[in-house]
């Protein structure tokens, strides 16, 4: 599978998420860089990341977005969103872990998402997650913040 078909929708959704910042800052204040990396678990238990352009089914891909404040003034309460592509499944791993998730693209809640089934609360399967959202409380002038999520290629 070519990853370029996955990265383009992510970039569009992320550009939209930046617009959630105060409109006077949105166009000029934030610069976003998106990386797609294959997650490689090494024998010593450490994890390595390598850039990837194609991936086979079963491959774990991490999407990492770096948001940089390009102005000389701190920005507060920046909401950023990373969508989960249709041909990928969220693994449950997000950085920072404070991410909220959605199954409909509109309503976000803390993870794990829960629903009532036969009168009991059960976890929503990760395969139903559509996007994650983080609130960056404060992004100082000329500083960056990273968010990331891991997905499994279906």
């Amino acid at each position: 599978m070519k990853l370029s078909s996955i990265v383009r929708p992510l970039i569009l959704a992320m550009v939209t998420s930046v617009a959630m910042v105060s409109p006077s800052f949105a166009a000029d204040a934030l610069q976003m860089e998106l990386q797609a990396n294959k997650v490689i678990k090494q024998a010593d238990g450490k994890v390595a990341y390598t850039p990837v352009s194609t991936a086979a089914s079963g491959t774990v891909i991490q999407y990492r977005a770096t948001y940089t404040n390009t102005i000389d003034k701190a920005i507060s309460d920046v909401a950023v969103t990373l969508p989960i592509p249709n041909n990928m499944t969220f693994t449950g791993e997000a950085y920072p872990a404070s991410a909220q998730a959605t199954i409909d693209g509109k309503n976000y809640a803390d993870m794990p998402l829960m629903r009532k089934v036969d009168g009991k609360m059960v976890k929503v399967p990760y395969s139903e997650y559509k996007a994650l959202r983080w609130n960056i409380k404060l992004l100082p002038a000329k500083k960056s913040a990273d968010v990331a999520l891991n997905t499994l290629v279906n």
Side-chain angles (χ1 to χ4, degrees):
M1 161 199 317
K2 289 203 175 211
L3 230 44
S4 61
S5 62
I6 297 167
V7 173
R8 267 186 247 125
L10 279 170
I11 291 172
L12 290 174
M14 292 169 65
V15 168
T16 302
S17 74
V18 172
M20 299 172 106
V21 178
S22 168
S24 62
F25 291 124
D28 300 325
L30 288 178
Q31 177 182 17
M32 183 273 299
E33 177 186 339
L34 177 65
Q35 298 175 357
N37 292 300
K38 181 177 179 180
V39 177
I40 302 166
K41 295 192 179 180
Q42 300 174 328
D44 62 2
K46 294 183 181 177
V47 178
Y49 303 93
T50 60
V52 63
S53 59
T54 60
S57 179
T59 304
V60 177
I61 303 295
Q62 181 181 79
Y63 292 101
R64 177 174 298 277
T66 301
Y67 290 90
T68 303
N69 178 352
T70 62
I71 62 174
D72 292 324
K73 179 176 175 181
I75 302 171
S76 59
D77 294 318
V78 179
V80 296
T81 304
L82 283 179
I84 300 162
N86 291 334
N87 54 344
M88 309 284 260
T89 299
F90 177 54
T91 65
E93 296 175 86
Y95 171 82
S98 60
Q100 292 186 316
T102 182
I103 59 172
D104 63 9
K106 298 174 189 171
N107 301 299
Y108 286 83
D110 293 338
M111 296 188 294
L113 296 178
M114 305 292 285
R115 76 167 69 131
K116 193 176 274 192
V117 175
D118 296 328
K120 295 188 332 188
M121 295 302 289
V122 298
K123 290 182 182 179
V124 173
Y126 290 137
S127 60
E128 294 183 33
Y129 285 37
K130 301 293 182 204
L132 298 187
R133 178 179 71 188
W134 293 263
N135 184 32
I136 301 170
K137 298 281 184 208
L138 180 68
L139 188 54
K142 307 294 183 184
K143 298 292 182 185
S144 298
D146 292 329
V147 298
L149 61 84
N150 288 0
T151 61
L152 186 66
V153 178
N154 294 335

